[in-house]
Amino acid sequence: MRHVGWLLSAFLSVLCGSIHAASPRPNFLVITWEDVSPHFGCYGDQLAHTPTIDRLAAEGIRFDQAYAVAGVCAPSRSAIISARWPVSIGSQHMRSDVKLSPDFRCFPAYLRDAGYYGINPGKMDYNFKSPAYTWDAVGPEAAWTNRQPGQPFLAVFNYAQTHQGPSQRQSTADAQRAALPKEAIVTPEQVTVPGYFPDTPGVRQQLANVYNNIAHADQLTAVLLKKLRDEGLEGDTIVIFYGDHGDGIPRIKTHLYHESLRVPLIVKIPAKFRSESTPTPGSAVDELVSLMDLGPTMLSLAGIQPPAGWDGRACLGEHTQPAPRFLFGHRDRVDFSSNLQRAVHDGRWHYIRDFRPDLMPRPPSHSFEISAILQDSRRLHRAGTFTGPQAAWLEKTGLVEELYDTQSDPHCLHNLATDPAQTERLATMRGALLEWQLRVKDLAFLPESMQARLASQHGHASAIPADLLGKLPALADAPLDGKNALAGLTAALDSQNAAERFWAVTGLGNLQATESIPALQKHLADPDATVATAAAWSLHRLGHTDAASLEALRRGLKSRSLFIQLETLQLIHHIGPAAAPLKPDLQRLTKAKTPPLYARQIGYAAEFALKAAQQP
């Protein structure tokens, strides 16, 4: 009997294994376009010529409330591949190369565990090196045809034709437009100029370029989808199309406005993989969806339970989870300039909080300087003919809070944060933001130099103890709390926690606390260089830039930490002519424009800081 029982057990094991092996799992073809807002016919844009994507939407599911977590590619892609908040794992800065925990896994690894063949022939750009098991093959030679017979695949294809570069380099835009049929071409006269740009020929031309680049990417996507059909794979493949963040033009890319974060997202599911709960082909879904949800959703559609601990959720498939009440976005360093802004969106109302309103909302960036939109907007702003709320993104200082009704104001031009009728809503958004920052452990309250040092001490950024950040949100709230924050800021000047001292000296400058000048002067010799340079910046804002301040800044420029050098250069750019004695130090740093990653940014940052210091 024991022998018969063993045979029966073995038979059932083989039978169950055969049934499991025979259960079809979908292929996943993921199509990513760079820097693209929902300029598609299927999203109601009548100027767009996008027959391929429109057909995909007619055969699939269109998500009308899909959002990136950041308005720039690397942090957004970090969230997509990891299903985790970049601010929690330290990958929030554009660009960076953070160390992950030894057991860190990205979502393709879980598909590979289930037998998938994973390829990425193009761009990754995650702000960290992909863990070894993420992909089977990457680079131009990676192809789904290299998988084993019958093996399901995950293939990610990236299209850069819609990136900011082709929209602002006219020669590239002209070449892409030349590939279009006449009826697909958008001319500068046809575009509508949004209120946050001046109406100039240069602005109109770049906006037309955006449309034409989208039409060209649509052509190329058609070729890929035809290949899928020609190989008989269309009925076995779930196709996912999305943009990694909003349009690659000034005031949208890198920012946190509604248009910065809202993206197209379309999922086409073949009939064999649909269930009763699957939205019907051609339908639109209005629930809040984050691009961070893509990985969990693919696992769910493949019948795999997403692992615990992920921040993204499955929005389709058998493991679907409820939609959240709020989505969040973050803006941190981009190239060599840091901002610390956060966004909250509830499907209609859009809240933006700037924790560093002392810094320019639109700092310089070498990658944007050739943009006709940026050049014309700056020129007319300086001339005094392009001003007011629509030009707030060009001012020297930021707005502490912004609140927009995106239903009536999709371009976010009318800030309602000071409207008494919105007091309760504002409090709700503030509360939601604070709860989220504490829950996910928002590491950006640490200046990047401190995050890097602490990450090294603890092994990786996500291991930084939460208690080191505990008091930072309250200290960073100084611009909101006004003079009521003075006592807390003053007490924090003596903290053993360098991050608390940093926010204390920064907050006193934001409050224009002239009575704190002697205390700030003492911190020019702070043992942490980031605190010392922040004290020099606050003193400058209070009208005091003397030899001691310049020496603190010089020490920052000579630091062995590239992060401290970057932080110092940004402050010198803001200080301007008062930093003229530092010109020899700045000139020395302009020569570093080659990799490694951070050193390259220092060369560009030094150029802009030197130019500001030389202004009359």
Side-chain angles (χ1 to χ4, degrees):
M1 286 295 294
R2 185 179 301 168
H3 181 65
V4 173
W6 180 87
L7 285 175
L8 179 61
S9 176
F11 172 75
L12 290 174
S13 177
V14 171
L15 178 62
C16 291
S18 299
I19 292 172
H20 177 74
S23 300
R25 275 190 164 142
N27 303 316
F28 291 101
L29 174 58
V30 180
I31 302 169
T32 307
W33 287 13
E34 299 192 48
D35 301 16
V36 63
S37 296
H39 298 303
F40 299 87
C42 58
Y43 278 93
D45 193 323
Q46 297 181 0
L47 198 56
H49 186 83
T50 51
T52 303
I53 300 303
D54 294 346
R55 187 180 309 113
L56 192 69
E59 299 170 350
I61 307 159
R62 187 189 76 229
F63 289 85
D64 288 345
Q65 293 271 11
Y67 295 86
V69 305
V72 69
C73 58
S76 176
R77 289 166 184 263
S78 173
I80 293 167
I81 196 69
S82 70
R84 297 168 177 88
W85 287 107
V87 298
S88 298
I89 63 176
S91 60
Q92 70 271 24
H93 298 293
M94 171 75 187
R95 286 183 168 84
S96 55
D97 185 12
V98 299
K99 184 179 180 181
L100 304 172
S101 63
D103 59 349
F104 193 94
R105 304 183 89 208
C106 297
F107 86 81
Y110 294 89
L111 288 172
R112 291 189 67 194
D113 286 345
Y116 276 76
Y117 183 74
I119 66 164
N120 189 330
K123 185 174 181 177
M124 289 179 280
D125 200 14
Y126 307 137
N127 277 341
F128 53 77
K129 293 180 178 65
S130 300
Y133 189 67
T134 304
W135 302 105
D136 285 282
V138 297
E141 302 305 316
W144 67 59
T145 53
N146 294 332
R147 73 194 190 283
Q148 295 298 314
Q151 185 179 18
F153 65 79
L154 162 66
V156 178
F157 286 82
N158 184 81
Y159 290 84
Q161 287 75 18
T162 52
H163 188 263
Q164 74 179 64
S167 82
Q168 61 189 19
R169 282 194 300 271
Q170 196 56 46
S171 59
T172 307
D174 289 345
Q176 295 193 165
R177 186 181 66 245
L180 299 176
K182 184 177 180 180
E183 65 272 13
I185 294 174
V186 171
T187 66
E189 295 75 24
Q190 290 177 288
V191 302
T192 299
V193 179
Y196 46 74
F197 294 146
D199 192 344
T200 69
V203 168
R204 285 183 168 274
Q205 181 63 67
Q206 191 171 348
L207 292 176
N209 292 347
V210 168
Y211 276 100
N212 293 327
N213 293 341
I214 286 173
H216 182 49
D218 191 85
Q219 288 179 318
L220 298 178
T221 301
V223 175
L224 178 64
L225 293 176
K226 183 177 185 299
K227 174 179 171 65
L228 193 74
R229 287 193 300 273
D230 290 348
E231 294 184 12
L233 295 169
E234 185 176 28
D236 299 316
T237 304
I238 293 175
V239 179
I240 299 174
F241 164 77
Y242 67 90
D244 63 352
H245 55 76
D247 286 334
I249 56 179
R251 211 267 190 178
I252 295 181
K253 187 171 182 178
T254 78
H255 289 263
L256 289 181
Y257 292 107
H258 187 238
E259 292 169 287
S260 307
L261 303 180
R262 184 170 177 245
V263 294
L265 172 61
I266 297 168
V267 180
K268 178 187 173 183
I269 304 176
K272 68 169 69 174
F273 302 116
R274 296 182 202 138
S275 68
E276 291 183 0
S277 62
T278 305
T280 57
S283 62
V285 174
D286 199 45
E287 69 181 32
L288 293 176
V289 174
S290 168
L291 292 184
M292 192 166 53
D293 300 337
L294 290 174
T297 298
M298 280 184 255
L299 264 63
S300 177
L301 288 167
I304 304 167
Q305 174 74 54
W310 279 4
D311 298 308
R313 70 174 180 100
C315 57
L316 291 169
E318 64 181 88
H319 300 289
T320 298
Q321 296 170 289
R325 181 182 177 189
F326 300 106
L327 291 180
F328 301 90
H330 60 86
R331 181 188 185 195
D332 301 277
R333 177 177 57 78
V334 176
D335 294 334
F336 50 78
S337 296
S338 291
N339 292 90
L340 179 51
Q341 297 176 346
R342 298 292 179 261
V344 184
H345 187 74
D346 70 357
R348 175 179 175 180
W349 295 90
H350 195 77
Y351 173 75
I352 302 174
R353 176 68 197 280
D354 192 344
F355 290 94
R356 292 298 306 272
D358 51 308
L359 302 177
M360 296 177 185
R362 184 72 205 184
S365 169
H366 63 279
S367 61
F368 263 112
E369 294 306 301
I370 65 171
S371 164
I373 289 176
L374 185 60
Q375 291 176 358
D376 286 2
S377 298
R378 278 181 180 164
R379 174 174 54 82
L380 295 175
H381 181 62
R382 289 167 182 159
T385 57
F386 180 56
T387 58
Q390 67 268 31
W393 61 282
L394 295 166
E395 298 292 348
K396 292 183 178 180
T397 56
L399 298 169
V400 176
E401 289 185 302
E402 299 171 70
L403 180 67
Y404 300 100
D405 180 357
T406 62
Q407 193 174 88
S408 61
D409 181 24
H411 293 318
C412 295
L413 291 170
H414 307 291
N415 183 10
L416 302 176
T418 58
D419 183 349
Q422 301 302 328
T423 300
E424 184 176 345
R425 192 183 313 280
L426 202 64
T428 298
M429 294 293 207
R430 289 173 182 167
L433 177 59
L434 178 60
E435 187 279 330
W436 171 77
Q437 289 181 295
L438 294 174
R439 172 166 47 85
V440 305
K441 195 173 72 173
D442 189 343
L443 292 171
F445 281 118
L446 295 169
E448 191 174 8
S449 58
M450 295 185 193
Q451 177 187 303
R453 184 174 68 247
L454 290 168
S456 179
Q457 291 174 8
H458 295 278
H460 50 89
S462 57
I464 295 173
D467 58 4
L468 291 177
L469 288 75
K471 296 181 180 180
L472 303 186
L475 294 171
D477 264 342
L480 273 183
D481 296 339
K483 295 296 183 180
N484 293 330
L486 275 176
L489 294 173
T490 302
L493 289 172
D494 297 322
S495 172
Q496 294 299 307
N497 185 335
E500 292 177 11
R501 298 198 305 276
F502 168 82
W503 281 107
V505 299
T506 300
L508 291 169
N510 282 331
L511 294 181
Q512 293 291 286
T514 54
E515 63 270 36
S516 300
I517 288 175
L520 289 171
Q521 288 173 326
K522 291 180 181 179
H523 280 279
L524 293 172
D526 194 282
D528 190 289
T530 301
V531 177
T533 55
W537 168 233
S538 286
L539 284 166
H540 174 76
R541 298 181 69 212
L542 294 170
H544 289 260
T545 303
D546 56 16
S549 289
L550 292 172
E551 184 56 33
L553 294 167
R554 184 176 285 109
R555 288 197 304 273
L557 293 177
K558 293 182 176 180
S559 172
R560 292 183 179 180
S561 166
L562 298 180
F563 300 106
I564 291 175
Q565 290 184 29
L566 277 176
E567 291 164 352
T568 305
L569 286 165
Q570 182 176 12
L571 296 180
I572 291 173
H573 177 263
H574 281 68
I575 289 171
L582 300 175
K583 286 192 288 186
D585 302 276
L586 298 173
Q587 187 66 53
R588 172 179 56 84
L589 292 174
T590 60
K591 300 174 183 178
K593 291 182 187 172
T594 56
L597 179 66
Y598 300 103
R600 181 172 181 264
Q601 296 300 337
I602 285 171
Y604 288 112
E607 267 194 0
F608 283 98
L610 181 62
K611 183 178 179 181
Q614 290 173 334
Q615 288 180 351

